[in-house]
Short mmCIF file of all heavy atoms in Angstrom, two decimals:
data_model
loop_
_atom_site.label_atom_id
_atom_site.label_comp_id
_atom_site.label_asym_id
_atom_site.label_seq_id
_atom_site.Cartn_x
_atom_site.Cartn_y
_atom_site.Cartn_z
N VAL I 279 17.37 -15.14 -1.16
CA VAL I 279 18.73 -14.63 -1.37
C VAL I 279 19.79 -15.70 -1.12
O VAL I 279 20.96 -15.49 -1.45
CB VAL I 279 19.01 -13.39 -0.48
CG1 VAL I 279 18.09 -12.24 -0.86
CG2 VAL I 279 18.88 -13.72 1.00
N LYS I 280 19.39 -16.84 -0.56
CA LYS I 280 20.34 -17.94 -0.43
C LYS I 280 20.53 -18.68 -1.75
O LYS I 280 21.56 -19.31 -1.97
CB LYS I 280 19.84 -18.93 0.63
CG LYS I 280 19.79 -18.38 2.05
CD LYS I 280 19.21 -19.41 3.01
CE LYS I 280 19.09 -18.85 4.42
NZ LYS I 280 18.46 -19.84 5.35
N ASN I 281 19.52 -18.60 -2.60
CA ASN I 281 19.54 -19.36 -3.85
C ASN I 281 19.69 -18.50 -5.10
O ASN I 281 20.01 -19.02 -6.17
CB ASN I 281 18.24 -20.17 -3.97
CG ASN I 281 18.06 -21.15 -2.82
OD1 ASN I 281 18.96 -21.90 -2.50
ND2 ASN I 281 16.89 -21.12 -2.19
N TRP I 282 19.44 -17.20 -4.97
CA TRP I 282 19.53 -16.30 -6.11
C TRP I 282 20.32 -15.07 -5.71
O TRP I 282 20.20 -14.58 -4.58
CB TRP I 282 18.14 -15.86 -6.57
CG TRP I 282 17.26 -16.99 -6.98
CD1 TRP I 282 16.43 -17.72 -6.19
CD2 TRP I 282 17.14 -17.54 -8.28
NE1 TRP I 282 15.79 -18.68 -6.91
CE2 TRP I 282 16.21 -18.60 -8.22
CE3 TRP I 282 17.72 -17.24 -9.52
CZ2 TRP I 282 15.84 -19.36 -9.32
CZ3 TRP I 282 17.35 -17.99 -10.62
CH2 TRP I 282 16.43 -19.03 -10.52
N ARG I 283 21.11 -14.56 -6.62
CA ARG I 283 21.84 -13.33 -6.34
C ARG I 283 20.84 -12.19 -6.10
O ARG I 283 19.89 -12.02 -6.86
CB ARG I 283 22.75 -12.97 -7.52
CG ARG I 283 23.90 -13.96 -7.74
CD ARG I 283 24.64 -13.64 -9.02
NE ARG I 283 25.14 -12.27 -9.01
CZ ARG I 283 25.51 -11.62 -10.11
NH1 ARG I 283 25.41 -12.19 -11.29
NH2 ARG I 283 25.96 -10.38 -10.02
N PRO I 284 21.04 -11.40 -5.06
CA PRO I 284 20.11 -10.29 -4.78
C PRO I 284 19.93 -9.34 -5.95
O PRO I 284 18.83 -8.83 -6.17
CB PRO I 284 20.75 -9.61 -3.58
CG PRO I 284 21.46 -10.71 -2.86
CD PRO I 284 22.01 -11.58 -3.96
N ALA I 401 29.40 -4.81 -4.63
CA ALA I 401 30.78 -5.28 -4.64
C ALA I 401 30.87 -6.63 -3.93
O ALA I 401 30.38 -6.81 -2.83
CB ALA I 401 31.69 -4.27 -3.94
N GLY I 402 31.52 -7.59 -4.59
CA GLY I 402 31.66 -8.91 -4.00
C GLY I 402 30.45 -9.80 -4.21
O GLY I 402 30.46 -10.96 -3.85
N GLU I 403 29.35 -9.22 -4.80
CA GLU I 403 28.13 -10.00 -4.99
C GLU I 403 28.07 -10.63 -6.37
O GLU I 403 27.28 -11.52 -6.60
CB GLU I 403 26.93 -9.05 -4.80
CG GLU I 403 25.60 -9.74 -4.63
CD GLU I 403 24.89 -9.99 -5.96
OE1 GLU I 403 25.25 -9.36 -6.95
OE2 GLU I 403 23.98 -10.83 -5.97
N GLY I 404 28.96 -10.19 -7.25
CA GLY I 404 28.86 -10.58 -8.65
C GLY I 404 28.96 -12.06 -8.90
O GLY I 404 28.41 -12.58 -9.84
N ASP I 405 29.69 -12.78 -8.06
CA ASP I 405 29.83 -14.22 -8.24
C ASP I 405 29.31 -14.93 -7.01
O ASP I 405 29.71 -14.63 -5.89
CB ASP I 405 31.29 -14.61 -8.46
CG ASP I 405 31.86 -14.03 -9.74
OD1 ASP I 405 31.36 -14.38 -10.81
OD2 ASP I 405 32.78 -13.20 -9.64
N ARG I 406 28.42 -15.92 -7.21
CA ARG I 406 27.91 -16.67 -6.08
C ARG I 406 29.06 -17.40 -5.42
O ARG I 406 29.97 -17.92 -6.05
CB ARG I 406 26.85 -17.67 -6.56
CG ARG I 406 25.62 -17.01 -7.13
CD ARG I 406 24.55 -18.02 -7.44
NE ARG I 406 24.92 -18.94 -8.49
CZ ARG I 406 24.71 -18.71 -9.77
NH1 ARG I 406 24.16 -17.59 -10.16
NH2 ARG I 406 25.04 -19.60 -10.67
N GLY I 407 29.05 -17.44 -4.07
CA GLY I 407 30.12 -18.11 -3.36
C GLY I 407 31.41 -17.33 -3.48
O GLY I 407 32.46 -17.88 -3.81
N GLU I 408 31.38 -16.04 -3.20
CA GLU I 408 32.56 -15.18 -3.41
C GLU I 408 33.77 -15.68 -2.66
O GLU I 408 34.90 -15.58 -3.14
CB GLU I 408 32.21 -13.74 -2.99
CG GLU I 408 33.32 -12.73 -3.20
CD GLU I 408 33.60 -12.50 -4.67
OE1 GLU I 408 32.75 -12.83 -5.50
OE2 GLU I 408 34.70 -11.99 -4.97
N ASP I 409 33.57 -16.23 -1.45
CA ASP I 409 34.70 -16.69 -0.67
C ASP I 409 35.47 -17.80 -1.37
O ASP I 409 36.65 -18.00 -1.14
CB ASP I 409 34.23 -17.20 0.70
CG ASP I 409 33.69 -16.06 1.56
OD1 ASP I 409 34.02 -14.90 1.24
OD2 ASP I 409 32.97 -16.35 2.52
N LEU I 410 34.79 -18.56 -2.25
CA LEU I 410 35.44 -19.66 -2.95
C LEU I 410 35.87 -19.28 -4.37
O LEU I 410 36.36 -20.13 -5.10
CB LEU I 410 34.47 -20.86 -3.04
CG LEU I 410 34.10 -21.52 -1.70
CD1 LEU I 410 33.05 -22.59 -1.93
CD2 LEU I 410 35.33 -22.10 -1.03
N HIS I 411 35.70 -18.03 -4.74
CA HIS I 411 35.97 -17.64 -6.12
C HIS I 411 37.40 -17.93 -6.52
O HIS I 411 37.67 -18.45 -7.61
CB HIS I 411 35.66 -16.15 -6.30
CG HIS I 411 35.85 -15.69 -7.72
ND1 HIS I 411 37.07 -15.31 -8.23
CD2 HIS I 411 34.96 -15.59 -8.74
CE1 HIS I 411 36.94 -14.98 -9.51
NE2 HIS I 411 35.66 -15.13 -9.83
N GLY I 412 38.35 -17.61 -5.64
CA GLY I 412 39.75 -17.83 -5.98
C GLY I 412 40.07 -19.29 -6.19
O GLY I 412 40.80 -19.67 -7.11
N VAL I 413 39.50 -20.13 -5.33
CA VAL I 413 39.73 -21.57 -5.45
C VAL I 413 39.14 -22.09 -6.76
O VAL I 413 39.79 -22.84 -7.52
CB VAL I 413 39.11 -22.32 -4.26
CG1 VAL I 413 39.25 -23.83 -4.43
CG2 VAL I 413 39.78 -21.87 -2.96
N VAL I 414 37.88 -21.70 -7.04
CA VAL I 414 37.23 -22.15 -8.26
C VAL I 414 37.99 -21.66 -9.48
O VAL I 414 38.20 -22.41 -10.45
CB VAL I 414 35.77 -21.66 -8.30
CG1 VAL I 414 35.12 -22.01 -9.63
CG2 VAL I 414 34.97 -22.28 -7.15
N ASP I 415 38.43 -20.42 -9.44
CA ASP I 415 39.17 -19.86 -10.58
C ASP I 415 40.43 -20.67 -10.87
O ASP I 415 40.74 -20.96 -12.03
CB ASP I 415 39.52 -18.40 -10.30
CG ASP I 415 40.20 -17.74 -11.49
OD1 ASP I 415 39.54 -17.62 -12.54
OD2 ASP I 415 41.38 -17.35 -11.37
N TRP I 460 35.88 -17.27 -18.00
CA TRP I 460 34.70 -18.01 -17.55
C TRP I 460 33.82 -17.14 -16.67
O TRP I 460 34.30 -16.25 -15.98
CB TRP I 460 35.10 -19.28 -16.79
CG TRP I 460 35.78 -19.04 -15.46
CD1 TRP I 460 37.11 -18.85 -15.25
CD2 TRP I 460 35.14 -18.93 -14.19
NE1 TRP I 460 37.37 -18.64 -13.92
CE2 TRP I 460 36.17 -18.69 -13.23
CE3 TRP I 460 33.83 -19.02 -13.74
CZ2 TRP I 460 35.91 -18.55 -11.87
CZ3 TRP I 460 33.57 -18.88 -12.39
CH2 TRP I 460 34.60 -18.64 -11.47
N LEU I 462 29.82 -17.54 -14.37
CA LEU I 462 28.72 -18.42 -13.97
C LEU I 462 27.53 -18.16 -14.87
O LEU I 462 27.12 -17.02 -15.07
CB LEU I 462 28.33 -18.17 -12.52
CG LEU I 462 29.28 -18.73 -11.46
CD1 LEU I 462 28.87 -18.22 -10.09
CD2 LEU I 462 29.25 -20.25 -11.46
N ARG I 465 21.26 -20.80 -13.96
CA ARG I 465 21.11 -22.17 -13.44
C ARG I 465 20.10 -22.93 -14.26
O ARG I 465 19.27 -22.42 -14.91
CB ARG I 465 20.69 -22.13 -11.97
CG ARG I 465 19.33 -21.51 -11.73
CD ARG I 465 19.19 -21.03 -10.33
NE ARG I 465 20.05 -19.92 -10.11
CZ ARG I 465 20.65 -19.66 -8.95
NH1 ARG I 465 20.49 -20.45 -7.94
NH2 ARG I 465 21.40 -18.59 -8.80
#
Side-chain angles (χ1 to χ4, degrees):
V279 297
K280 294 177 183 177
N281 300 310
W282 300 89
R283 294 173 56 198
E403 194 270 343
D405 296 296
R406 295 186 295 272
E408 182 67 18
D409 292 341
L410 294 175
H411 183 275
V413 175
V414 174
D415 184 63
W460 68 272
L462 285 171
R465 64 201 68 214

